[in-house]
Each structure stands twice: as structure tokens, then as C-alpha cells.
Amino acid sequence: MPTRSSNPPVKDFCDGAVAETIPIEGDAKRGKARSSSSALTARTDSDSDDRDRRKSEKEVVNPPPQSSGSIRSSNGSTEKTLRGTIPVNQDAMDKMPDRRVFRRSRMRSPWSCSVPMLLATVLSIGLLFVILQSFFSRQLDIKGCRMSYMRPAFAKFSDFDTEHTRFASKYSLYLYREGEIDEDTKVCIWCFAPLLLLSQADIAQVKGVPVLFIPGNAGSYKQVRPIAAEAAQYFHEVVQHDPHALRAGTGSLDFFTVDFNEDITAFHGQTMLDQAEYLNEAVAYILSLYHDPRRSNRDPGLPDPSSVILVGHSMGGIVARTMLTMPNYQSNSINTIITMSAPHARPPVSWDADIVRTYKQINDYWRQAYSQKWANNNPLWHVTLISIAGGGLDTVVPSDYASLSSLVPDTHGFTVFTSSVPTVWTGMDHQAILWCDQFRKIIVRALVDTVDVNRPGQTRPRAERMRVFKKWFLTGMETVAEKTLPQNEPTTLLTLEDNSNSIISEGRQFNLKKFGQSKKPQAHLLPMPPQGTPGGTKFTLLSNQKLDSPGEGGKLEVLFCSVFPLQAGQSAALFSMNMDLSGDSSGSTRLACKNAAVDTIHLPASTRTSKHAFEDKQPFSYLQYDLEDLAEHQFVAVVDKAVDPTPGWVVAEFSDTTNSHIRTDIGLWRLLISGLHLKLPPGRPMMTDVSIPALHSSLLAYKLSISSQACGDETELFTPFLRQYLSEPYESKFFVNVRQANVNLHGMAPFMPPPLRSQSISSGVSLQLWSDSTCNTSMDLSLKVDIAGSLGRLVMRYRTVFAAFPLLVVALVIRKQFRVYDSTGIFMSFTEAMDLCLRQSLPLVLLALSFLAMSLARASSGPARSSPGGLFNWHRNATESAVDFTKNDLLLGSQDSFFWFLVPLFGLISVGVCVLVNYAAISVTYLLSVGYGFVAAKPGWVRNDDRRRATATTFATPSPRRRFLTTVVLLLLVSTLIPYQFAFLVACIVQLSTCTRALRLVRETHSGAHFDFYNYAHSIFLLMLWILPINLPVLVVWVHNLTVNWLTPFSSHHNVLSIMPIVLLVETLTSGKMIPRVSNRCFWVTNTLLFVLALYAAIYGVTYAYHLHHLVNLVSCWFVAIHLSSNTFSLAGLVRMLEGDDADDIQPPADGNHNKKRP
């Protein structure tokens, strides 16, 4: 068995104190032999376990002060440096109580587990299980997408080569063609079954408006198929047969798509910049196709396109915005961008410095552009940006991140959820948003309506484009929704009998329960109430029938009319429609009317058989106007055009806002404790709007209950249905035939930047309830917080926290280990240090962080402070003062102090996760050490002395020259070919090997020194293990680039200094060398570095996670410096090492035999 001895004392580089280093192997001693004057005698490792470092439990936690004239050795004893005496009675130490021996053994044992740590672990794992169970099974939106079908064919542009772009060998450009529809399907393509196989001899022909599809993270160019196929079918079956649309400039769409070889853009900022550069060159090439008569099949009389419409999915939407910031961007070549499930507000993960920096540059550019006072100074003035989110079903990218409120004013773009889009009314996951049949139809119709082939830009002016997008994507009930009726001219002349009894008295609700009862067309007139009602007045109309446009032959037409006396014979010249309902009466009343069909709002049908809003049924027709919009009119005419009794109903009324709008001022705490209970009276309006400002956080979910609607003997016209909506972003959810509903939202979310326009008062969630008022019964509405369902909301909002908060725990534990080691010489196990942290430092740190979270939330929720001379001097389309867009980046990122408890919650969960990871690492290390023991085992006939010598060579150090050259080669590769993340992965594997060998040595020798080194190496391995997830994404991108095109250079993450200290520390530990103890001033350096690492992980770790690697690198640099403090270094020694002179590696082992160390 190897003997233990101490190296000669070495001067401490901080303040002259003396430190001592004890190597792990007994026969690999360096330096001079021990002085003969020493009173210490050689002892075996088994003896040292019984006699060495006898400290009580009190001495471990509160070590006594050391005198300045002593040497602090790693075994905790004190040796007089002047007299060479030992003030320790070994016989007395042998007679110490067994309790102290057990305490010391438990401190070193990696498997030890205290009761508090066990309870904390069980509780944290239970909480984590409940959170995950809630995420996967509670408050889930229903999937309602219908499948889409297509016959795809792709044309590859092989001539878009290196003459046009430096990325031609990596990326490719394609043109989509729909089989059996597009007549020019003779194009050169790459074909994949079941894609259409076409000839390679012909040239692709362009004929419509160019649209470029940009796939997202690891996306395929073939994802364009559903939308492009619908565009081809819609033009072929509808548009080309509509002369009015063709005269207005509507044309077909040419969908181009890019093959990025499934590049991973979400993890690597440089890849995003490369794609943006390539796409700008692709746009220039696409526009050049329309100038080539051989490639263009367009009408020669039309102007050549000068811009391209962009459609981006996921990170493709961010790349689309990046294009406008690149140096090779061609001005005005992009004016319309539609993104789907794109994280605009912040990067999905912050583990790469490049992507965080790129995001900041992009967002700053867009904000600064829209801060300009004059349009001529705004390079994005002509650009419209629409962001569409899938909602809660998207578990890849949080839909909160799709918000544009901090980037674009509402005059140039907005954010909408698919559950708000008329006739769609369902959430979608990250991929379904591309192929959902009902949604792709809306996308295509919106794009077609924005097209104007008569303009060089190929699209309508920006204001008209925004009007089109609001029409197709918004419900029509938003405050920004524009009504068409006030701008239209009267088109219909309505003639009625003078003695008509169809005028409804003012203040009454009009109800028509069946059409055609009079067996002739009949008009029902509702007179306009007087203006100036306090609170305002609304007109609402709801029907299960379609509202007819002028000239259509349906059942129902709604007109807004004014008295218009005319002479006979003049009506045909002034009005396009003449509706004469006077019959044979000699006297008549003539009304000049506007048709209201253009402002029809579609609502999901709600009957007793309805289950979901997205069901394929004819929707309800709804009209809603403020009385101010109808000031020029005198009547509302509801025309029943049916001549035979047919089923159908219509309800219309004027209602005061004071009766139809209910605002509740209940607070969040009261809502949490007792809930919200409302009773709607029997005489309520058809539509009731309940505003709850306290419901604004996306972290809480609720349960809504509505009592049944009793109509007695009569059949109800429709069952109650509900709209849950937010005004920013535009998120609406519809619940039909509602009794119970899950209410969750994407409102105020963690880490989101503040909006461009500061909002002093949050409007929160509103609940819009439609009920059949003809039943004349009261209804009860109850809303309660769903605590179990709210826990699942934490997963998408705080999933990156679980990569940062555990590092807080690990850093505090390692800090505790070093404090005890520097004081007592015992490097306790990770679990024992965890137990001490749970009793002392960790609760205090979490308490301080909780107070910090409350303080940050209050500061963030306060009014924005003006900044004189700032960039943001908005007038009509901007804020009035500068906005700090980073104020929600810290700690929890919450603007509500209500959620302070999340700090101890995440801390507790992190403790449990760290304990599990620790035991998992120990188990893996143990299994590897057992395997290593079998491989390195000696046969039974080998002498015991040889076995001891074999054990001692477990950490036999390789040649210094070999170690030096290996490290240099690795660092040289980092600086040229491989990213430093690859070197970090290699370092983790090497550190695991070191832990394996150290554990084998512990199992065979049971030496205290070997226990210390194993615990030290294991803690360093755990620290590296928690940094590994931050480095893996970039490593995955690098490996992917190698598989796609290994000649493509990887132009980032080659900083040698970012990995060199970690590599040197790991390389030092491979020699089995224990870190020296540190005293006096330098003791606080270790303590401070690890404490700063812990605080940074908690406060900045989510937003700037990539900095955690560099902080660990800094800590490693300090550890390397401590290691080097016990060694002497000279230039001559370095030269001898490089020349291969290893004379210093030969030293006499303890048994007197002179053996050279194993190379």
C-alpha cells in the first residue's frame, strides 16, 4: 500500500503564508525528500484513516483560528515550522470517541444522505412531477385542424451558383408547382416520392407575384407545400374566373422556397446571419428571373416585380427580419412579411452569445427605424409585419415570444393567435400551423387580396395591406378593426308602404324566430336612438343566416337607411339596387340605404349539439357598431326576403354600454382566495362584456362555470357561447354551448420586453358572453383560479430556468466544500456539503433573491421613465419617451410581485434535481470504476507488493512533454477548426475518467487523502456537467454542418481563452494532484468567485446563460493558479520538457526501489 507523505512547504503567492500539497499516488513523489529532522514517521493509508485529522463536528463547521507561524496541511494538523515539533498526541487521538470517526467518514462518503436533504429531494421531485403532469394533462387546448392535400413538384435553380452567392454549395433555391393545375410543370426538379416526377430538360417559368418561403429551425423546404398548393388551387378555381378581381390587380402567386439542409438556426447566431445573407442574394436572383423573357411568362404590359413577399415559419420569420438589416439588402425589395410561430421578442434559448447579440442588433434596428419622426428617414416605413402564433398547443416556442408590441407600431403590424382567426378558431402546434387546412386558406386569401400586379411592388399600399390583414386575421370586434359601412355610399333604394306597421318601437329588442311567415319580403325598421347617451350605445345583431350582399338571393339582408325623397323614375340612375316592398300601395316611403354585409363578423355556431368552435358548420353572422358610426342614418332595416316559411332567426337591439359592459375591480389575491361570482339579470342585453383587469398574467389558469339557460316551454334560439379575449396581443378563444371552460391566456409573460407604447392601466382579460335574451332568465357566472392547471404554465415560460438555477445550488455547495477544506483539510463530499447548505447558506440566499424579485417586479411595473435625448421620440406611431427594453431580463423576469414565491420554488426543485444528478453521476462513476477494476485486475498469483504498486500507478503521470503537446494541439484545433464547445465535451469525458480512477483508488485503499481527491474531482465534474447543456447546442450545429458540407468553415466560437483554463484544470487533475489549501486573503478569492457564480446564475442565468460558461472558466483559471502555486516553474525546465528530458520524473519511491514512472 502506498505511503502518504507531504511535499515541502511552498510559499503562498497571496501573502506569504505556507501551503502544502499532498499527491494522491504514494510512489510518484516529486521534489526533495522529507527532512530527517521531521518528527513525523511514515504511516500507511490504513493507519492514517484511524489517526490522521481527528476533528470534532464542531471543529469542522467552526474551525479554530490558525496562528501565522504554522503550516496548514491537508490533513488538518498543525506543524511548527521553526522547532519541527508536533503539538499533537497520537495516543490521545487514537482514544477519541467513535462518533467523531463516524462523522469524518460520513463527511468523505459520497453516498451519505441526511434527513433534511432527503426530505427536500422528495418534496422537489414531487413538485416537479406535479408540474409536468399539469403541463401534459391540464388546461390543454383542443386540436381542431383538418388535414390538407396537395400534388407537389419542385424546380431547382441550378444556375443560382457560386457566381451569385458563396453559399451555393450549402443551400439551394426551388420553385413550387402544383401538379395537374400549373400548366408549365415541365421544370427541372429534384423529385421525392410522392412528388411529381418532371423533366430536367426544360426551364422553370415564372408567371405570378413572387413569394419566398423561409423554413425555420431544422425545417425543410418542402414545408411550403400546403400553402403553395392552396394558392394554386384558389387562383385556378376562383380568382381567374372573377373579372372584377383581375381588373383590381389580383394575380397568381409564385412560391419559391429555400433548402437550408435543415440548418439549426435557433442555437447559432452566425447560421442565422448566413441564411439572411443567402436569402438577400436569392431575392435579387428571383427578381432577375422576371426580367428574363426566357424565364418569365407574365403579361409584357405589366411592370416587372421589384419586391418579394416573405412567409417565414419559426426562426425563418426572424431570418426574414434579419434580411432587412444586412449590408447586401436591396432597398425596397421586401415590403410584406408574414411569420408563423416566430419568436420575435427574444431568442428561444440564450445559450449562444452570437444569437443573443444578433437578436439585440435586429430588434434595435427595427425599433430605431420606427422611432423616426419622418417617413423618409424610416427604412421600414413601407414594410408590414404580421406575426401569427399557435397558442398553448405550441410546445416548441412559447407563443408569448411571437409578440410584436415591443418592435412594431400597430400601423405597421400586429400579433394575432390562430384561435382568433375567423372560421379557424383553434390553436395549433408548431408544425400544424403550416398544414392546417382551414388556416392555410385564410393565409392564401389574405395574400391574394394584398396583391396588385399593376404596381412595381406587386402589393397594395401599406395602409391598404394593413386593412386587408385586419379583415382576414382579426375577429372584427377589436378596437383597431375598421368598419367599411361609414365610408361607403348608399347603393340600395328601399321603398316601403306608408302605413307599414313594421317599425319597432324605440328601446325594444327585435326578435325574428322564423323567416317567411308573411309569405312575402318584409322589412323591419329599428329607429336610431338619440346620440349622447352616457357611456355610449351599441347596435348588435346576431343571426344564424348569412347576410346578403346587394343582388344576392338569400333570406336576410341588413340595411342602414336614411329618408331620401325622390321623384319617380330617378332611382335607377342613382342606386344600383332598387328594393320595392310597397306592393300596390299608392303612398310609399323611400329610404337610401347602405348594405351592412361588408362588416359581417363570423362567430362559431352554438347549438345544443355544438362541442367545439372549430366544427365545420355554418357560422353565425354578427354585426356590432357604435352609435357614433351610425350618426348619418335614421333606421336599421332588417329585411326578411323569404317568401315561404323557413327556419332561421335573427336578434337585433340597441343597448347602453352601462348595461352591457361589466367591469370588476377584484384583486388577484381575492380572486385566488374566493374567486369571482356574477349574476346576470334576466333583462340583460344579448351580449354582455365582463372585463377583469386582474386577469393579465400568462402564468395563471382559471376554471369558468356558467349556469344553464332555461327557456321554459319555448325552444331557445341558440345556446350561450363565450369569447375570451385580450386586446394586446390579439388573442381570442371561443367556447360554444358553454357550461365549463378552461381560461388561459398569453398576456403579461416573464422576460418579455415592454411595449413601445407604455400602458399605465392593464385591461386584462375580457369575457364576452352571448345568450338568448328571449328566455328572460338570469345566469350565474363563476371564475376560480385553477392552481393545479397553473403549475403546468411554468414549463414553457421557465423551462430555461432549470438550466440556470441548479448552477446556483452547485456553486454554493462547492463554495461550502472549499471553505471547510481550507479550514480543516477535509474535502467533504458533495452530499454532505449540500446538507450544510440546506441548513445555512441556501435558505438565506433564496430569501434574499425573493426580496430582490419583488423589488424588480415593482420597478418593472412602474411607469416608464423619460430619457431626454433618447432615440424614441414618438408622435403618432410611437411612445413619448425612451423605454428600457431590458428591464424584465433579470431573475424571474416578472412584472408582478405576486410571483415572488417562484424563487424558493425553483430553488427547492433545483436542490432535488442536483441531488439526483449527483447520485446519477456517482452511480455511473461507480459502474465505470468496477469495469476499470476488472480490466486492471491482477491475477491471484501476483505478489501483494506488486498489487500495491499497480494500485499506486492509477494516477501515474504521463510525460510532461506529452501532456504539454496534447494540450497545445487541442487548443490549436480550437483556434482553427473546432469550436471550443467540442473541447469542453472532451474535457468532460476526461474528467469523468479521472473521477472513475479516483473512485477505484478509494474503493481499494479507503484512504482519507484519496477520498478528498475523489470528492474534489467529482465536484468539478458536476460543475462541468451543469455547463454542458449550454455548450451542446453549438456543438450540435457544428456536427450538423460537418454532415451537410464538411468543407464549409465554422466561423465562430474559436476563442482559445474561452476553454484554456478548463482544459488546464482537467489536465492537472489527470495527474491525481490534490488542490493545495489556501489561507488568509486568497481564501476569500475562492469564496467570492463561487458566490458570484451562484448569484449570476440566478439573476442573469436565463437571459445571458452563455456567460455562465465564461464564469466557470474564470473559476477554473483560479483553481489552476492555486495548483501552480505549489510548483516551481522556469524557462529552462520548460525547454528540457520539450526536449524530452524527463530526468525529474524519476524519484525514489517509499520502498527504496528506483523505478521510472509509467509513460
Side-chain angles (χ1 to χ4, degrees):
M1 190 68 65
T3 59
R4 297 177 61 253
S5 63
S6 61
N7 283 348
V10 180
K11 275 288 185 178
D12 192 342
F13 59 92
C14 284
D15 56 3
V18 182
E20 182 185 14
T21 303
I22 299 180
I24 295 303
E25 67 279 2
D27 64 339
K29 304 178 181 63
R30 296 186 181 274
K32 298 180 180 180
R34 291 175 298 174
S35 174
S36 60
S37 62
S38 175
L40 289 174
T41 59
R43 293 174 295 171
T44 62
D45 287 329
S46 59
D47 292 334
S48 65
D49 277 337
D50 296 331
R51 300 171 183 170
D52 191 20
R53 289 180 281 186
R54 305 269 184 165
K55 294 292 181 180
S56 65
E57 179 176 354
K58 180 178 179 181
E59 290 173 331
V60 172
V61 179
N62 299 305
Q66 299 286 345
S67 61
S68 59
S70 63
I71 301 175
R72 302 180 63 193
S73 64
S74 61
N75 61 7
S77 62
T78 305
E79 301 178 9
K80 289 294 182 180
T81 59
L82 298 180
R83 297 181 176 86
T85 60
I86 305 178
V88 177
N89 191 327
Q90 296 294 339
D91 295 333
M93 292 176 64
D94 291 338
K95 297 178 182 179
M96 279 186 172
D98 293 337
R99 183 180 64 84
R100 298 184 179 181
V101 177
F102 172 76
R103 171 66 180 173
R104 188 182 66 251
S105 175
R106 200 184 80 168
M107 287 182 64
R108 291 200 178 106
S109 174
W111 297 100
S112 62
C113 183
S114 64
V115 175
M117 188 174 68
L118 179 61
L119 293 177
T121 303
V122 171
L123 182 58
S124 64
I125 299 306
L127 284 173
L128 187 60
F129 174 79
V130 172
I131 290 174
L132 293 178
Q133 191 269 344
S134 173
F135 175 70
F136 288 110
S137 62
R138 294 180 180 270
Q139 290 283 334
L140 300 181
D141 295 338
I142 305 298
K143 297 181 179 180
C145 281
R146 296 186 286 272
M147 186 57 65
S148 56
Y149 301 93
M150 69 290 299
R151 296 176 293 272
F154 291 91
K156 181 180 180 180
F157 292 96
S158 301
D159 55 342
F160 185 49
D161 51 19
T162 53
E163 294 184 2
H164 298 85
T165 175
R166 63 189 180 103
F167 297 103
S169 61
K170 186 178 180 182
Y171 304 143
S172 303
L173 180 66
Y174 290 85
L175 172 66
Y176 180 88
R177 283 293 179 252
E178 179 69 7
E180 301 182 12
I181 289 183
D182 290 317
E183 67 280 0
D184 58 337
T185 52
K186 294 182 179 180
V187 293
C188 50
I189 65 165
W190 282 8
C191 301
F192 305 89
L195 303 184
L196 183 62
L197 178 61
L198 303 175
S199 170
Q200 296 184 0
D202 299 313
I203 301 176
Q205 295 284 323
V206 294
K207 58 182 179 180
V209 176
V211 181
L212 179 59
F213 173 78
I214 308 174
N217 181 61
S220 169
Y221 69 99
K222 291 180 283 186
Q223 290 175 322
V224 73
R225 292 175 295 178
I227 298 177
E230 175 61 26
Q233 294 171 6
Y234 181 64
F235 180 82
H236 178 73
E237 298 172 1
V238 179
V239 176
Q240 69 175 356
H241 303 297
D242 186 352
H244 176 73
L246 295 177
R247 287 194 300 268
T250 305
S252 62
L253 302 176
D254 286 333
F255 270 87
F256 297 84
T257 182
V258 180
D259 182 12
F260 285 136
N261 286 302
E262 300 181 358
D263 256 351
I264 304 175
T265 51
F267 301 151
H268 194 223
Q270 187 59 45
T271 299
M272 194 163 64
L273 295 175
D274 292 345
Q275 290 185 0
E277 179 182 341
Y278 174 84
L279 288 171
N280 277 328
E281 291 158 347
V283 167
Y285 174 80
I286 290 171
L287 294 177
S288 69
L289 296 176
Y290 292 86
H291 296 273
D292 188 351
R294 299 174 303 166
R295 296 290 186 92
S296 178
N297 195 22
R298 285 166 55 93
D299 185 352
L302 297 176
D304 293 328
S306 62
S307 68
V308 176
I309 299 174
L310 299 184
V311 177
H313 174 243
S314 187
M315 292 301 295
I318 311 304
V319 174
R321 288 178 48 225
T322 308
M323 294 170 61
L324 283 75
T325 68
M326 299 295 290
N328 66 336
Y329 169 65
Q330 181 179 335
S331 180
N332 297 327
S333 61
I334 298 170
N335 61 23
T336 303
I337 304 176
I338 295 180
T339 66
M340 294 173 284
S341 299
H344 291 287
R346 57 181 290 113
V349 291
S350 59
W351 296 342
D352 176 39
D354 286 350
I355 199 167
V356 174
R357 190 181 307 112
T358 301
Y359 253 87
K360 184 180 185 305
Q361 293 173 353
I362 298 169
N363 290 347
D364 286 349
Y365 177 85
W366 281 69
R367 289 164 181 155
Q368 183 177 358
Y370 287 118
S371 70
Q372 302 302 318
K373 180 178 180 179
W374 305 106
N376 292 337
N377 298 328
N378 182 1
L380 304 178
W381 181 256
H382 62 289
V383 178
T384 55
L385 174 61
I386 308 300
S387 175
I388 306 173
L393 290 177
D394 190 345
T395 57
V396 176
V397 173
S399 291
D400 307 280
Y401 293 0
S403 174
L404 298 176
S405 61
S406 65
L407 298 170
V408 179
D410 54 13
T411 56
H412 290 72
F414 57 84
T415 305
V416 65
F417 285 71
T418 56
S419 57
S420 305
V421 178
T423 70
V424 177
W425 297 319
T426 180
M428 301 173 192
D429 61 47
H430 201 65
Q431 298 299 328
I433 200 170
L434 289 170
W435 56 259
C436 186
D437 184 59
Q438 57 265 48
F439 179 63
R440 68 168 183 161
K441 290 180 176 6
I442 300 298
I443 288 285
V444 168
R445 282 152 180 75
L447 286 175
V448 169
D449 281 0
T450 60
V451 165
D452 187 356
V453 296
N454 299 314
R455 298 169 57 91
Q458 301 296 289
T459 58
R460 303 182 189 277
R462 177 188 55 80
E464 293 186 24
R465 274 180 278 143
M466 287 297 299
R467 191 175 298 115
V468 169
F469 289 139
K470 291 176 182 178
K471 168 191 171 184
W472 284 104
F473 294 139
L474 300 184
T475 63
M477 292 175 281
E478 294 82 0
T479 55
V480 297
E482 300 180 13
K483 300 296 183 182
T484 307
L485 183 74
Q487 285 76 37
N488 291 346
E489 295 295 330
T491 57
T492 302
L493 179 63
L494 179 62
T495 305
L496 302 174
E497 296 178 342
D498 284 341
N499 58 352
S500 174
N501 296 321
S502 59
I503 299 179
I504 310 300
S505 60
E506 184 177 334
R508 284 185 53 197
Q509 184 185 73
F510 169 69
N511 299 302
L512 182 63
K513 298 186 177 182
K514 183 177 290 187
F515 287 93
Q517 290 182 337
S518 61
K519 297 187 178 180
K520 66 176 182 179
Q522 184 178 6
H524 304 272
L525 301 182
L526 280 75
M528 294 288 176
Q531 299 282 342
T533 303
T537 303
K538 286 184 180 292
F539 170 76
T540 55
L541 180 144
L542 182 67
S543 176
N544 64 344
Q545 301 296 314
K546 177 181 178 296
L547 303 187
D548 284 352
S549 298
E552 292 185 345
K555 302 178 184 178
L556 178 64
E557 190 166 347
V558 179
L559 305 172
F560 289 84
C561 306
S562 301
V563 176
F564 191 80
L566 283 175
Q567 298 297 325
Q570 294 183 349
S571 61
L574 296 178
F575 301 95
S576 59
M577 290 296 300
N578 184 6
M579 186 178 296
D580 190 353
L581 305 181
S582 61
D584 298 331
S585 175
S586 58
S588 61
T589 301
R590 296 178 178 87
L591 301 176
C593 304
K594 299 179 182 180
N595 190 286
V598 291
D599 290 332
T600 300
I601 298 171
H602 293 296
L603 297 177
S606 179
T607 63
R608 290 185 176 181
T609 60
S610 300
K611 294 182 178 180
H612 305 294
F614 52 78
E615 293 173 351
D616 192 9
K617 295 181 179 180
Q618 179 180 338
F620 287 171
S621 299
Y622 181 67
L623 293 176
Q624 178 176 297
Y625 292 98
D626 290 329
L627 187 60
E628 290 75 12
D629 296 331
L630 308 175
E632 61 178 287
H633 304 291
Q634 296 171 317
F635 297 96
V636 179
V638 180
V639 182
D640 174 9
K641 299 194 296 183
V643 295
D644 294 314
T646 55
W649 52 265
V650 60
V651 179
E653 66 179 359
F654 286 94
S655 59
D656 293 340
T657 304
T658 54
N659 296 327
S660 62
H661 184 81
I662 301 174
R663 179 182 173 89
T664 61
D665 295 326
I666 185 173
L668 190 56
W669 279 106
R670 182 181 171 190
L671 186 64
L672 181 66
I673 296 172
S674 60
L676 172 67
H677 303 278
L678 294 176
K679 189 177 186 65
L680 305 181
R684 66 187 177 278
M686 173 183 60
M687 187 275 295
T688 304
D689 197 333
V690 180
S691 176
I692 314 175
L695 269 67
H696 58 262
S697 174
S698 62
L699 296 178
L700 294 178
Y702 307 87
K703 287 285 188 181
L704 177 68
S705 300
I706 299 178
S707 64
S708 60
Q709 178 177 266
C711 282
D713 297 333
E714 297 185 5
T715 303
E716 57 190 359
L717 301 179
F718 60 93
T719 56
F721 63 100
L722 180 80
R723 174 193 174 219
Q724 165 209 326
Y725 69 96
L726 281 172
S727 57
E728 180 59 45
Y730 299 123
E731 180 186 23
S732 295
K733 293 183 180 180
F734 290 90
F735 304 93
V736 296
N737 194 19
V738 61
R739 298 285 183 85
Q740 304 283 338
N742 291 328
V743 177
N744 53 73
L745 57 141
H746 294 83
M748 188 181 296
F751 305 108
M752 289 292 293
L756 288 175
R757 294 179 175 178
S758 59
Q759 300 175 356
S760 57
I761 300 178
S762 174
S763 57
V765 168
S766 294
L767 304 176
Q768 203 168 1
L769 177 66
W770 287 267
S771 59
D772 187 358
S773 56
T774 61
C775 295
N776 199 30
T777 57
S778 61
M779 295 184 67
D780 294 327
L781 185 148
S782 175
L783 184 71
K784 295 183 178 180
V785 177
D786 183 6
I787 298 177
S790 299
L791 291 175
R793 312 286 293 173
L794 299 175
V795 175
M796 289 301 297
R797 277 77 181 181
Y798 284 111
R799 55 184 179 178
T800 54
V801 165
F802 298 106
F805 255 70
L807 200 59
L808 161 71
V809 178
V810 172
L812 290 178
V813 170
I814 297 178
R815 172 176 170 267
K816 176 63 69 175
Q817 288 177 301
F818 271 96
R819 291 189 65 179
V820 173
Y821 173 66
D822 289 335
S823 301
T824 67
I826 299 177
F827 202 97
M828 61 173 55
S829 66
F830 186 87
T831 53
E832 185 70 15
M834 174 74 79
D835 178 57
L836 292 179
C837 287
L838 286 175
R839 300 171 186 269
Q840 299 175 8
S841 57
L842 193 56
L844 294 177
V845 170
L846 293 179
L847 180 62
L849 290 176
S850 299
F851 282 108
L852 179 60
M854 288 189 286
S855 176
L856 292 174
R858 292 193 182 98
S860 177
S861 60
R865 293 173 295 180
S866 60
S867 177
L871 291 174
F872 296 89
N873 184 21
W874 289 72
H875 289 269
R876 292 186 177 179
N877 300 324
T879 57
E880 295 296 331
S881 61
V883 179
D884 180 13
F885 294 102
T886 63
K887 67 179 183 179
N888 297 327
D889 288 350
L890 306 182
L891 201 53
L892 295 176
S894 176
Q895 304 172 46
D896 194 339
S897 58
F898 173 83
F899 297 102
W900 65 267
F901 63 88
L902 292 179
V903 172
L905 176 67
F906 292 148
L908 179 60
I909 294 176
S910 298
V911 168
V913 172
C914 287
V915 170
L916 289 183
V917 170
N918 172 58
Y919 282 121
I922 294 175
S923 301
V924 171
T925 307
Y926 180 82
L927 294 176
L928 292 176
S929 67
V930 171
Y932 180 74
F934 280 121
V935 173
K938 294 294 182 179
W941 57 82
V942 178
R943 293 185 308 169
N944 289 336
D945 292 343
D946 294 336
R947 289 186 181 179
R948 296 192 189 99
R949 190 173 294 109
T951 300
T953 58
T954 300
F955 281 99
T957 308
S959 164
R961 179 185 181 187
R962 177 182 173 185
R963 294 167 58 193
F964 178 80
L965 292 179
T966 301
T967 304
V968 169
V969 169
L970 181 61
L971 296 178
L972 183 62
L973 289 175
V974 169
S975 65
T976 55
L977 298 177
I978 65 176
Y980 68 78
Q981 287 82 358
F982 180 81
F984 184 83
L985 178 62
V986 173
C988 289
I989 297 174
V990 173
Q991 186 65 16
L992 177 60
S993 173
T994 300
C995 293
T996 301
R997 291 184 291 158
L999 183 59
R1000 174 179 178 260
L1001 202 59
V1002 167
R1003 292 173 53 239
E1004 294 185 354
T1005 65
H1006 301 285
S1007 167
H1010 295 162
F1011 264 113
D1012 288 344
F1013 177 77
Y1014 169 72
N1015 290 333
Y1016 168 54
H1018 178 74
S1019 296
I1020 297 298
F1021 176 66
L1022 288 179
L1023 184 63
M1024 297 174 65
L1025 203 60
W1026 282 109
I1027 297 298
L1028 187 60
I1030 299 175
N1031 290 277
L1032 278 181
V1034 174
L1035 186 60
V1036 170
V1037 174
W1038 176 69
V1039 173
H1040 176 268
N1041 282 6
L1042 288 181
T1043 59
V1044 172
N1045 190 340
W1046 66 274
L1047 292 176
T1048 302
F1050 198 77
S1051 56
S1052 64
H1053 301 87
H1054 294 294
N1055 188 354
V1056 175
L1057 296 179
S1058 296
I1059 193 62
M1060 185 168 64
I1062 296 177
V1063 171
L1064 293 178
L1065 177 62
V1066 170
E1067 190 276 335
T1068 301
L1069 293 181
T1070 58
S1071 64
K1073 182 180 179 181
M1074 184 63 185
I1075 188 170
R1077 296 168 59 196
V1078 178
S1079 61
N1080 294 341
R1081 292 198 306 262
C1082 292
F1083 166 81
W1084 295 105
V1085 177
T1086 305
N1087 189 62
T1088 303
L1089 283 177
L1090 290 171
F1091 191 71
V1092 169
L1093 172 61
L1095 291 184
Y1096 192 94
I1099 299 175
Y1100 295 93
V1102 175
T1103 304
Y1104 306 101
Y1106 61 91
H1107 279 157
L1108 296 177
H1109 170 90
H1110 301 297
L1111 285 177
V1112 171
N1113 194 51
L1114 179 62
V1115 173
S1116 301
C1117 183
W1118 171 245
F1119 289 164
V1120 170
I1122 296 176
H1123 276 284
L1124 293 178
S1125 66
S1126 62
N1127 297 332
T1128 57
F1129 176 82
S1130 66
L1131 185 60
L1134 178 62
V1135 172
R1136 288 197 304 271
M1137 179 183 67
L1138 295 177
E1139 291 177 350
D1141 185 3
D1142 295 336
D1144 290 341
D1145 292 338
I1146 305 174
Q1147 58 183 12
D1151 57 4
N1153 298 325
H1154 294 267
N1155 296 323
K1156 188 173 181 179
K1157 294 178 66 178
R1158 186 181 66 180

